[in-house]
Amino acid sequence: MTMANAFGAEHFVRLSQDEQTMIRRREKVLGAAYRLFYERPLHFVRGEGVWLYDAEGQAYLDAYNNVASVGHCNPSVVEAMARQAATLNTHTRYLHDAILTYAEALVAICPAELSQVMFTCTGSEANDLAVRMARTCTGGEGIIVTENAYHGVTAVTSAFSPSLGPGVDLGPHVRTVRPPLSPDARADAGAFFAREVAGAVADLRRHGIKPAMLIVDTIFSSDGVIADPPGFLAPAIEVIRKSGGLFVADEVQPGFGRTGDAMWGFQRHGLVPDMVTTGKPMGNGYPMGALMAKPQIVDEFGHKARYFNTFGGNPVAVSAGQAVLDVMERDGLIANAKDVGAYLKAGIEAVAQAFPAIADVRGAGLFIGADIVENGAPSAQAATRIVNEMRKRFVLISASGLQGNSLKIRPPLVFTRQNADHFLTTFKQALSSIYIDRCRLCDLNPENGIVQK
Ligand code: PMP
């Protein structure tokens, strides 16, 4: 499948001997399914905070990676992991205080109804488990997802991940719905999305399929980042519940403070999901995932099936997870995501005033999407060009969305206003270098950014 910002073979000849050798080794040993980012791939050897360093020692400002959300190689997380790894690393079949303390800490940052937690190693596993639990509790099979959703890599979750492209079949029990992205849909986003979900429920029923769940990434990452208006998700949740299905909030991307409003993306919509799945930033790079659920759901599942995940919730994992929560609290990272995110978004909106290529800016906290158009139409090619111009200037972003034309700006939560200024200066320079003749409101200087008239 094509992927936004994927390295293409046509760029191979322009790479250095060393880069070509590494790419050949990769292709030989990793095979055809892997993709590299950028026209000129990056080779990082070290990370610290919001910075990644390549093999030559060049620093890159990371405005893309949300896994290392409390900063690359955060010393508190590294120390907690190392200490526990040197002490004991077993699994959840033995009593262990840190497992219980962390599980209690996790449910304490969830709504009171979601009082139980099950550990996994990845977001895909958490979503896979959510499907098993929803099917057990509802007796239904049907799954409703957004039209360009990504929910995971397993056989079950890839069958409800339409963003993997036409080469990956959706299950016969899966229906897709449009998120409120078009201007018409946005005019009444809640009603629009509820109608979409009602249509999907009706279609499942016509095919004799009972709905099991609606699963939504509550910041709509792969659909192009949709945050507003707050609350628009709520009517659709009523629809799925009335149909007998459950609502699963996939918090793999928005969870752990990214949206700046609260710990979880669903809180922006004033909702309490039946289940919440999470992963990526949970262990700041240590592979961790979890499912938080209402106890009735866990009970019903647990009485039929036993659950054990060999590595999920092991003592090293929970030490990493606990350290992440402690650092977030100590350093006020949710408030930082709100403050720096709003500052960055306002800066991007100001740049958009000068460059008509930026058609729309959306987002919440430190998750921002910006649509790129060419002659008024979505342009993945133009978005890719901007991503690569940023990379040439040592700033990392990527692109996503159904049309591949939404810039995806999603830095670690430790991003500062100073980092945001650095980003914005580089962003102006990158855009100026491409749209030298199409800038409104500005005198252009591709070397130094734009000077507002
Ligand atoms: N859900 C969402 C919304 C994701 O973005 C991802 C990962 N990109 C997953 C689930 C799957 O997580 P993992 O890669 O840890 O299996």
Side-chain angles (χ1 to χ4, degrees), residues 9 11 54 133 145 147 150 155 162-163 177 189 193-194 202 218-219 279 307 324-325 357 369 389 423 438:
H11 302 295
D54 73 9
M133 298 184 52
V145 295
E147 65 184 348
Y150 180 74
S163 74
V177 291
F193 197 58
T218 60
I219 191 71
Y307 180 74
V324 168
L325 290 181
E389 289 297 330
F423 175 94
R438 275 171 281 171

Side-chain angles (χ1 to χ4, degrees), residues 371-410:
D371 287 353
I372 304 303
V373 295
E374 201 108 291
N375 303 318
S379 175
Q381 211 186 352
T384 303
R385 188 146 174 226
I386 295 169
V387 168
N388 280 286
E389 289 297 330
M390 294 294 281
R391 178 247 178 269
K392 274 189 212 159
R393 292 166 177 78
F394 316 118
V395 176
L396 308 178
I397 59 168
S398 194
S400 76
L402 185 61
Q403 323 259 14
N405 72 315
S406 306
L407 299 181
K408 187 154 130 188
I409 301 156
R410 195 188 51 181

Side-chain angles (χ1 to χ4, degrees), residues 113-116 133 274-276 291-295 297-298:
E113 293 89 331
L114 301 166
S115 60
Q116 294 188 333
M133 298 184 52
D274 299 295
M275 289 186 259
V276 170
L291 177 148
M292 279 74 78
K294 296 179 176 171
I297 294 173
V298 180

Side-chain angles (χ1 to χ4, degrees), residues 38-202:
Y38 298 110
E39 285 167 10
R40 184 168 174 211
L42 284 160
H43 175 192
F44 290 124
V45 295
R46 190 168 74 79
E48 189 180 339
V50 296
W51 300 98
L52 286 168
Y53 297 86
D54 73 9
E56 271 83 51
Q58 173 67 51
Y60 287 71
L61 179 67
D62 188 355
Y64 177 71
N65 287 291
N66 59 341
V67 169
S69 79
V70 299
H72 291 280
C73 304
N74 181 289
S76 304
V77 180
V78 171
E79 199 270 329
M81 277 163 47
R83 191 171 8 95
Q84 187 58 48
T87 308
L88 175 77
N89 200 16
T90 51
H91 51 75
T92 47
R93 278 183 168 156
Y94 298 116
L95 290 170
H96 195 280
D97 195 52
I99 295 173
L100 303 177
T101 304
Y102 180 61
E104 285 160 0
L106 262 187
V107 298
I109 54 170
C110 285
E113 293 89 331
L114 301 166
S115 60
Q116 294 188 333
V117 53
M118 293 163 81
F119 289 110
T120 63
C121 303
T122 64
S124 303
E125 281 184 355
N127 285 336
D128 200 293
L129 182 60
V131 174
R132 291 179 65 200
M133 298 184 52
R135 287 183 170 160
T136 303
C137 293
T138 62
E141 282 283 309
I143 298 173
I144 301 171
V145 295
T146 53
E147 65 184 348
N148 202 44
Y150 180 74
H151 294 293
V153 79
T154 63
V156 169
T157 56
S158 61
F160 61 90
S161 292
S163 74
L164 289 171
V168 178
D169 291 339
L170 295 180
H173 53 279
V174 174
R175 295 294 180 277
T176 60
V177 291
R178 288 173 301 166
L181 193 51
S182 69
D184 280 357
R186 273 201 248 179
D188 196 359
F192 173 87
F193 197 58
R195 269 198 310 276
E196 285 286 306
V197 172
V201 166

Side-chain angles (χ1 to χ4, degrees), residues 239-253:
V239 172
I240 189 69
R241 286 194 174 135
K242 272 199 191 121
S243 81
L246 302 180
F247 171 55
V248 181
D250 181 333
E251 292 287 333
V252 170
Q253 299 254 359

